[in-house]
């Protein structure tokens, strides 16, 4: 599944600009920063501030946003929506089954190479339009509960779309940043705890954020926000409410028995009901009841039914019972109580449902819920502020952000130990790398002290006991990858006289919440012969770049033995290729799962060559192919519209006096005949003709009418051009008479200069009179000899002579 990024390609004339993409499950918002313009929401082509996350793929046509939604009602099979929930998911994930249930018109299949799902459709990609200069630098929002696989899926989609991702920022963090940026003066050294409750279309998140000022070495005392607790519900949102309303309306229609068919089996009718349910949910937030009505729902049968707010609330009663859940989880994660929370702020469109507010208010025990932030655009505006801060082109006031890792990550390894009785056993060890709610970005080092030979270690998620059974199923594999180090044994043999300080693995949780293995090095200490207290460290092992992502390091001058990483079941000849890849290329698909027997199921890493043979890993080629089709389609539509407009406009002009006056009867018959012929061709063949044929037809008609248009345009320009020339002649003549009256002693012009001006005036006057007289002798249907460009040239030349004097 790729990022629906048609609207992430914003184009401006300036070369320096950055943007944010608030990628939700139903809507996306784009914000922009460019020179001279601070933070602003970008309008789409429909002049709306938010765009549906939907893509339509049918035949050779692609549509996005509102255009795609328009097709969804007529042909739901070719429109793809709510893709966020299946990003990076395997086919056995419960959310894939849920998606299939919500959208039975789509066929989801398992990709044999990666194990993740894809749609059975010949064309699935993203669009890039080519106007002006594209903005490529972007900060993209993701839900806070996204794990490593889901974050890499978004990064890969952005990479395919040609975007340079400055950072993935959690949407709750972006909201908190937007809130804090505009309240800098209210933040001081005293910690302020605020809970943001965000219910969107597909999920709900509660976040506890602490604001206070902190001292930094780089920029002194600055405000900071720190995420202390997060709770979430992946499936609680407005979309689930809309689905229940849709099913309720379908039940109403069936009960009316106007048709013998079951409306639930008609995909097109159900798409119409879903659209009406979305409208109904919005209206019922402000009204106690409303009439749902759809013309021609099925078999040309109209549908009408009254729905009350109480009915809606009864349908979603179990959903409203889940509203307090994320708040309790966030408080537990932050180890706080509601008494420590100063205010609760609502975010997300679904918090506008009155029952949601009632249940939440009762759960938090506050006097009121704050609505002092833009519920729809806060995330996009916070993310674009971060984009400006990360860009070198802009200078913004520092606002420190300390995000928190939702899921703990640990390193596991087994080591042979010898008991007192001499029996050797294998001991399994676990070391926590990042605790739950550990702040990031952050670097960690794990030291392996007792290995003297090549060994394997595993990187897995830690204790996920705080997740429900259903959340664990949705979460997917808890095993990230396994790594085999080679070159360890040989380094110990070469430096047997030195003391080992262990094998050090350097990890980094970057700003996007993506885990990176920066490097692995074997460290030895050698004692100087003079037995001084000084010692030198010899680091053995070059950096291991990009096992998970873009980590890098300068090679150490003292390296003599490399410690390399081998991904198990991979051939050595592909090792360097794989290690040089960025994480979000997803060509490294290390999905290590623990089998029922307790042994590691080591999935092989596909070589780059074999991946190139798979259609799933040729997104750039397919993207360019679809983009070329789109550009060709746009060019054809533009030419078709131009041809249609030329025919209709010219046919209309042939009845206007100013055009009839300049054409002979023969010319008129010829032009009108060709226009009628072209109009008939358009009705019969034109709408299926290619771009080249349309251009040729348009060029032929323009050539035929060129002389007529020229004569009309010239006659339109004559009055103004001749009046301007007469005015210039009058002005020049008066000027010449005036300077000749200057006494000889005070004269500043030479006789030659004055005679030159007099000659130009006389020549211009003579040319004008003779050419006008000659033109009057000609018929309007003949080619004119009095040309507007010649009149302007004469006026300009005379003007220069006068200005010179």
């Amino acid at each position: 599944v790729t990022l629906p990024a048609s609207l992430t390609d914003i184009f401006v004339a300036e070369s320096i600009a950055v943007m944010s993409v608030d990628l939700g499950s139903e809507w996306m918002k784009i914000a922009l920063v460019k020179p001279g313009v601070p933070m602003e929401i970008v309008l789409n082509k429909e002049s709306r501030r938010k765009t549906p996350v939907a893509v339509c793929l049918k035949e050779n046509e692609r549509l996005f946003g509102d255009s795609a939604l328009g097709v969804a009602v007529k042909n739901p099979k070719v429109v793809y929506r709510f893709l966020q929930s299946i990003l990076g998911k395997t086919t056995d994930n419960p959310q894939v089954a849920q998606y299939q249930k919500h959208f039975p018109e789509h066929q989801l299949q398992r990709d044999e190479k990666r194990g993740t799902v894809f749609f059975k459709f010949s064309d699935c990609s993203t669009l890039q339009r080519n106007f002006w200069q594209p903005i490529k630098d972007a900060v993209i929002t993701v839900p806070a509960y996204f794990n490593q696989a889901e974050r890499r899926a978004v990064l890969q989609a952005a990479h395919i779309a040609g975007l340079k991702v400055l950072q993935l920022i959690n949407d709750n963090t972006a909201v908190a940043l937007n809130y804090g940026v505009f309240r800098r003066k209210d933040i001081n050294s005293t910690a302020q705890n605020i809970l943001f409750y965000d219910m969107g279309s597909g999920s709900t998140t509660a976040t506890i954020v602490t604001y206070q000022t902190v001292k930094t070495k780089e920029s002194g005392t600055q405000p900071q926000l720190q995420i202390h607790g997060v709770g979430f519900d992946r499936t609680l949102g407005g979309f689930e409410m809309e689905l229940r309303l849709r099913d309720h309306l379908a039940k109403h229609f069936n009960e009316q028995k106007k048709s013998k068919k079951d409306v639930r089996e008609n995909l097109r009718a159900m798409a119409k009901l879903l659209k009406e349910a979305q409208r109904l949910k919005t209206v019922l937030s402000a009204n106690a009841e409303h009439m749902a009505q759809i013309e021609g729902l099925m078999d040309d049968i109209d549908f009408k039914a009254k729905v009350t707010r109480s009915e809606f609330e009864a349908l979603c009663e179990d959903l409203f019972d889940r509203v307090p859940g994320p708040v309790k989880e966030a408080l537990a994660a932050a180890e706080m109580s509601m008494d420590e929370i100063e205010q609760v702020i609502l975010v997300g469109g679904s918090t506008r449902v009155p029952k949601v507010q009632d249940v939440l208010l009762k759960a938090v025990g506050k006097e009121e819920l704050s609505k002092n932030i833009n519920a729809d655009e806060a995330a996009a505006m916070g993310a674009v502020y971060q984009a400006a801060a990360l860009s070198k082109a802009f200078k913004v006031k520092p606002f420190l952000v300390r995000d928190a890792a939702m899921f703990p990550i640990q390193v596991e390894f087994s080591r042979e130990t010898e008991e007192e009785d001499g029996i050797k056993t294998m001991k399994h060890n676990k070391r926590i790398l990042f605790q739950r709610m550990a702040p990031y970005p952050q670097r960690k080092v794990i030291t392996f002290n007792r290995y003297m030979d090549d060994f394997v270690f595993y990187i897995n998620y830690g204790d996920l006991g705080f997740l429900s059974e259903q959340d664990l199923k949705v979460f997917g594999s808890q095993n990230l990858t396994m790594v085999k180090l080679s070159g360890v044994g040989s380094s110990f043999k070469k430096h047997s006289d030195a003391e080992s300080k262990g094998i050090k693995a350097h990890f980094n949780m970057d700003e996007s919440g993506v885990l990176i293995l920066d490097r692995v090095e074997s460290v030895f200490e050698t004692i100087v012969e003079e037995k001084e207290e000084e010692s030198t460290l010899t680091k053995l092992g070059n950096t291991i770049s990009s096992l998970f992502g873009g980590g890098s390091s300068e090679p150490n001058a003292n390296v003599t033995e490399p410690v390399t990483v081998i991904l198990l079941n991979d051939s050595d000849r592909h090792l360097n290729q794989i290690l040089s890849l960025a994480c979000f290329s997803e060509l490294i698909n290390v999905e290590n799962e623990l089998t029922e027997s307790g042994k590691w199921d080591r999935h092989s890493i596909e070589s780059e060559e074999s991946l190139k043979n798979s259609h799933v890993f040729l997104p750039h080629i397919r993207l360019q192919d679809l983009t070329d089709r789109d550009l060709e389609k746009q060019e054809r539509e533009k030419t078709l519209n131009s041809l249609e407009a030329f025919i209709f406009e010219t046919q209309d002009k042939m009845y206007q006096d100013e055009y009839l006056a300049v054409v002979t009867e023969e010319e008129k018959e010829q032009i009108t005949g060709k226009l009628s012929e072209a109009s008939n061709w358009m009705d019969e063949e034109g709408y299926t003709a290619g771009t080249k044929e349309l251009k040729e037809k348009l060029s032929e008609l323009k050539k035929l009418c060129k002389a007529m248009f020229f004569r009309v345009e010239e006659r339109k320009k004559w009055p103004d051009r001749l009046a301007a020339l007469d005015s210039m002649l009058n002005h020049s003549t008066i000027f010449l008479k005036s300077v000749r009256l200057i006494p000889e002693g005070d004269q500043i012009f030479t006789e030659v200069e004055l005679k030159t001006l007099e000659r130009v005036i006389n020549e211009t006057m003579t040319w004008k009179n003779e050419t006008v007289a000659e033109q009057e002798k000609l018929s309007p249907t003949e080619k004119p000899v009095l040309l507007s460009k010649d009149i302007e040239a004469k006026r300009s030349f005379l003007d220069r002579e006068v200005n010179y004097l």
Side-chain angles (χ1 to χ4, degrees), residues 93 146 384 501 560 581 665 687 768 776:
N93 194 292
F146 262 23
V384 81
K501 291 298 181 181
T560 57
L581 294 171
E665 197 63 34
Y687 288 100
K768 178 212 163 192
E776 289 175 349

Side-chain angles (χ1 to χ4, degrees), residues 180-195:
V181 162
F182 293 101
R183 292 165 179 80
R184 297 178 68 97
K185 295 179 180 179
D186 300 331
I187 301 173
N188 50 47
S189 58
T190 304
Q192 304 174 43
N193 299 319
I194 294 177
L195 189 147

Side-chain angles (χ1 to χ4, degrees), residues 242-421:
E242 292 160 4
L243 288 172
R244 297 192 181 192
L245 262 179
R246 178 199 66 178
D247 295 341
H248 180 67
L249 295 177
K251 181 183 175 184
H252 263 293
F253 180 81
N254 286 337
E255 289 174 349
Q256 292 174 3
K257 296 184 179 180
K258 293 182 178 180
S259 173
K260 295 180 180 179
K261 299 177 184 177
D262 187 346
V263 70
R264 291 170 293 189
E265 296 177 0
N266 188 310
L267 297 176
R268 186 173 176 181
M270 291 300 282
K272 291 180 179 180
L273 286 171
L274 178 58
K275 184 178 180 181
E276 180 64 10
Q278 291 170 331
R279 186 187 71 85
L280 197 60
K281 187 196 77 172
T282 303
V283 174
L284 287 176
S285 294
N287 300 274
E289 61 181 42
H290 189 67
M291 187 67 71
Q293 46 190 351
I294 303 172
E295 291 184 9
L297 175 59
M298 187 174 69
D299 298 334
D300 295 324
I301 300 172
D302 295 340
F303 170 65
K304 183 181 289 187
K306 186 172 77 171
V307 181
T308 65
R309 185 189 292 177
S310 58
E311 283 181 301
F312 168 62
E313 292 175 354
L315 289 171
C316 305
E317 185 177 1
D318 62 313
L319 297 180
F320 297 135
D321 291 342
R322 289 159 55 185
V323 167
V327 177
K328 295 176 182 177
E329 290 178 13
L331 290 170
E335 298 180 346
M336 291 183 184
S337 66
M338 277 306 304
D339 294 336
E340 299 174 73
I341 306 299
E342 294 188 12
Q343 59 176 318
V344 178
I345 299 177
L346 297 181
V347 188
S350 296
T351 57
R352 296 189 178 100
V353 175
K355 187 65 175 178
V356 171
Q357 296 183 17
D358 294 342
V359 175
L360 182 61
L361 185 61
K362 184 178 179 181
V364 299
K366 299 291 183 183
E367 291 184 6
E368 62 177 356
L369 301 173
S370 299
K371 303 172 185 176
N372 52 355
I373 196 170
N374 189 316
D376 291 320
E377 299 174 359
M381 297 301 282
V384 81
Y385 187 90
Q386 184 70 356
L390 294 173
S391 172
K392 296 179 181 179
F394 303 96
K395 186 176 181 180
V396 300
K397 292 182 178 180
F399 202 109
L400 308 179
V401 177
R402 295 288 283 169
D403 215 324
M406 280 287 297
F407 309 111
I409 295 177
Q410 64 189 17
V411 172
E412 299 183 31
F413 55 95
S414 297
R415 187 174 66 233
E416 190 176 65
T417 59
E418 187 173 340
E419 304 292 338
E420 293 180 0
D421 54 5

